[in-house]
Amino acid sequence: MTDSKWDGMEAVILAGGKGTRLRSIVSDRPKVLAPVGGVPFLHILLKHLAGKGFHRIVVSVGYMADQVIQTVGQRFADMEICCVRENKPLGTGGGLRLALESCRNDHVFVMNGDTFLDLDFSEAERLWQRYGVPILIGRHVDDAARYGRLQISDGRVTKFEEKGEAGAGIINAGCYIMPVHLLDGFPIGEAFSLEQDFLQRFVTEHDMRILVTTGMFIDIGVPKDYNKAQIVLKRYY
């Protein structure tokens, strides 16, 4: 599965979800292809990653998978694109578990297909090289109610708090660096949530570092923020 000679940055984009909360305004395509400034959102993500030095992207697809596969093809800019299709809904964890089988590096960046995050990926890579353990990217927001806060101690994530409590805090930005074997304890094809069924327990038993970024962050999964993205992402089209 891995190739120690592979020396380019590699990422998995989780793009298999139905986007139920966005269905009222984007109903004819998967959420990752929702148009932002007339451009499929996934293209904005890929353009951004290409500019950050990524060489290979594995896209986990499920809902309306054919549309995604036809839209991105096998190359984007100078990056190789590999689409991995779920035969049934596998959730964020199951989709990632399957996608990791197609990765070539010993570690990969993992990100959500409905979230734009302007991150210094080189800094994150250096943190991986220093510690060699999973890394979660956090983001300070003015209201963490929609996402739930993170509890942090000595540069490590120690707990995921429940959603719903208003006020500022550091949230999970939906981006990670992970060793490709991290989810090998789950059978391929088993549906599970990466956050609820794996990460919440993992951080209580193992070391997961955190890197808090101040870069642009927006999740287009709800109509309010999808409409906001049309404005704040203009410079990334």
Side-chain angles (χ1 to χ4, degrees), residues 216-218 225 227-237:
M216 167 64 69
F217 167 81
I218 189 164
D225 285 343
N227 292 330
K228 180 181 177 182
Q230 310 293 329
I231 300 170
V232 300
L233 292 182
K234 278 186 176 181
R235 70 179 186 269
Y236 298 102
Y237 292 171

Side-chain angles (χ1 to χ4, degrees), residues 141-211:
V141 296
D142 293 333
D143 188 359
R146 176 181 162 194
Y147 306 96
R149 290 174 182 76
L150 298 172
Q151 287 189 11
I152 302 166
S153 176
D154 193 26
R156 297 173 175 85
V157 180
T158 58
K159 185 178 180 181
F160 293 80
E161 295 185 359
E162 295 293 331
K163 300 176 182 180
E165 184 178 345
I170 295 174
I171 65 167
N172 177 3
C175 181
Y176 317 88
I177 308 178
M178 294 181 175
V180 294
H181 295 295
L182 188 64
L183 301 180
D184 281 3
F186 292 88
I188 295 174
E190 176 180 316
F192 67 98
S193 165
L194 176 65
E195 299 80 6
Q196 296 175 6
D197 297 324
F198 178 72
L199 289 177
Q200 288 186 9
R201 182 185 73 252
F202 182 85
V203 299
T204 66
E205 302 171 352
H206 302 278
D207 189 4
M208 174 170 263
R209 308 294 303 192
I210 182 166
L211 174 64

